[in-house]
Short mmCIF file of all heavy atoms in Angstrom, two decimals:
data_model
loop_
_atom_site.label_atom_id
_atom_site.label_comp_id
_atom_site.label_asym_id
_atom_site.label_seq_id
_atom_site.Cartn_x
_atom_site.Cartn_y
_atom_site.Cartn_z
N LYS A 16 -13.14 86.14 63.55
CA LYS A 16 -13.33 85.79 62.15
C LYS A 16 -14.67 86.34 61.68
O LYS A 16 -14.83 86.70 60.44
CB LYS A 16 -13.31 84.32 61.94
CG LYS A 16 -11.97 83.79 61.40
CD LYS A 16 -12.09 82.34 60.97
CE LYS A 16 -10.83 81.96 60.39
NZ LYS A 16 -10.84 80.48 59.91
N PRO A 21 -13.90 88.41 53.59
CA PRO A 21 -13.02 88.10 52.47
C PRO A 21 -13.57 88.65 51.12
O PRO A 21 -14.76 88.77 51.00
CB PRO A 21 -13.07 86.53 52.43
CG PRO A 21 -14.44 86.16 53.08
CD PRO A 21 -14.76 87.27 54.09
N THR A 22 -12.63 89.00 50.33
CA THR A 22 -12.91 89.51 48.96
C THR A 22 -12.14 88.93 47.86
O THR A 22 -11.08 88.38 48.15
CB THR A 22 -12.74 91.09 48.93
OG1 THR A 22 -11.37 91.34 49.13
CG2 THR A 22 -13.58 91.80 50.01
N THR A 49 25.85 81.49 47.14
CA THR A 49 26.91 81.71 46.18
C THR A 49 28.03 82.45 46.89
O THR A 49 27.84 83.43 47.66
CB THR A 49 26.34 82.58 44.94
OG1 THR A 49 25.33 81.86 44.42
CG2 THR A 49 27.52 82.79 44.01
N ALA A 167 45.22 87.91 33.71
CA ALA A 167 46.29 87.67 32.69
C ALA A 167 47.36 86.85 33.31
O ALA A 167 48.55 87.38 33.42
CB ALA A 167 46.75 89.03 32.17
N GLY A 172 50.35 82.90 26.58
CA GLY A 172 50.03 81.55 26.08
C GLY A 172 49.36 81.61 24.75
O GLY A 172 48.40 82.33 24.54
N ASP A 186 61.55 90.84 21.54
CA ASP A 186 61.54 91.40 22.88
C ASP A 186 60.15 91.36 23.43
O ASP A 186 59.27 91.97 22.85
CB ASP A 186 62.15 92.91 22.85
CG ASP A 186 63.58 92.90 23.21
OD1 ASP A 186 64.23 91.88 23.15
OD2 ASP A 186 64.00 94.04 23.54
N LYS A 190 55.31 93.46 32.52
CA LYS A 190 55.07 94.17 33.78
C LYS A 190 54.29 93.17 34.72
O LYS A 190 53.15 92.88 34.49
CB LYS A 190 54.20 95.41 33.59
CG LYS A 190 54.15 96.33 34.79
CD LYS A 190 55.49 97.02 34.97
CE LYS A 190 55.46 98.09 36.09
NZ LYS A 190 56.72 98.82 36.24
N TYR A 242 42.37 88.94 45.71
CA TYR A 242 41.03 88.48 45.47
C TYR A 242 40.66 87.75 46.80
O TYR A 242 41.39 86.93 47.25
CB TYR A 242 40.98 87.50 44.30
CG TYR A 242 41.26 88.16 43.01
CD1 TYR A 242 42.52 88.01 42.41
CD2 TYR A 242 40.32 88.72 42.28
CE1 TYR A 242 42.86 88.65 41.24
CE2 TYR A 242 40.58 89.38 41.04
CZ TYR A 242 41.87 89.26 40.52
OH TYR A 242 42.16 89.86 39.31
N ARG A 245 34.10 85.73 49.69
CA ARG A 245 33.29 86.08 50.82
C ARG A 245 31.94 85.55 50.55
O ARG A 245 31.45 85.35 49.46
CB ARG A 245 33.17 87.65 50.81
CG ARG A 245 34.48 88.30 51.37
CD ARG A 245 34.32 89.82 51.33
NE ARG A 245 35.57 90.41 51.71
CZ ARG A 245 35.78 91.79 51.69
NH1 ARG A 245 34.74 92.63 51.42
NH2 ARG A 245 36.87 92.28 52.09
N ARG A 246 31.24 85.27 51.68
CA ARG A 246 29.81 84.83 51.71
C ARG A 246 29.01 85.76 52.52
O ARG A 246 29.54 86.19 53.57
CB ARG A 246 29.78 83.39 52.22
CG ARG A 246 28.29 82.83 52.19
CD ARG A 246 28.29 81.38 52.40
NE ARG A 246 28.77 80.60 51.27
CZ ARG A 246 28.93 79.33 51.25
NH1 ARG A 246 28.70 78.63 52.26
NH2 ARG A 246 29.36 78.73 50.09
N LEU A 249 25.01 85.40 57.89
CA LEU A 249 23.73 84.85 58.09
C LEU A 249 22.72 85.96 58.62
O LEU A 249 21.52 85.95 58.25
CB LEU A 249 23.81 83.74 59.10
CG LEU A 249 22.44 83.06 59.52
CD1 LEU A 249 21.81 82.45 58.29
CD2 LEU A 249 22.73 81.98 60.55
N GLY A 262 7.76 94.08 54.38
CA GLY A 262 7.53 95.23 53.37
C GLY A 262 6.47 94.80 52.42
O GLY A 262 5.57 95.62 52.08
N PHE A 264 4.04 92.48 52.74
CA PHE A 264 2.75 92.43 53.32
C PHE A 264 2.16 93.74 53.73
O PHE A 264 0.95 94.02 53.56
CB PHE A 264 2.72 91.57 54.59
CG PHE A 264 2.61 90.14 54.28
CD1 PHE A 264 3.56 89.19 54.71
CD2 PHE A 264 1.47 89.55 53.63
CE1 PHE A 264 3.42 87.80 54.46
CE2 PHE A 264 1.35 88.26 53.43
CZ PHE A 264 2.31 87.33 53.74
N LEU A 270 -2.50 98.50 49.69
CA LEU A 270 -3.19 98.41 48.35
C LEU A 270 -4.51 97.79 48.49
O LEU A 270 -5.49 98.27 47.87
CB LEU A 270 -2.32 97.59 47.45
CG LEU A 270 -2.79 97.36 46.01
CD1 LEU A 270 -2.87 98.71 45.30
CD2 LEU A 270 -1.91 96.45 45.18
N GLN A 285 -23.48 104.41 43.70
CA GLN A 285 -24.47 103.77 42.87
C GLN A 285 -25.79 103.56 43.57
O GLN A 285 -26.89 103.84 42.99
CB GLN A 285 -23.93 102.38 42.37
CG GLN A 285 -22.69 102.35 41.59
CD GLN A 285 -22.97 103.08 40.33
OE1 GLN A 285 -24.07 102.95 39.61
NE2 GLN A 285 -22.07 103.93 39.83
#
Side-chain angles (χ1 to χ4, degrees):
K16 260 191 177 180
T22 62
T49 304
D186 262 18
K190 193 70 172 181
Y242 297 97
R245 290 181 183 173
R246 180 169 288 176
L249 179 61
F264 275 122
L270 181 62
Q285 295 298 319

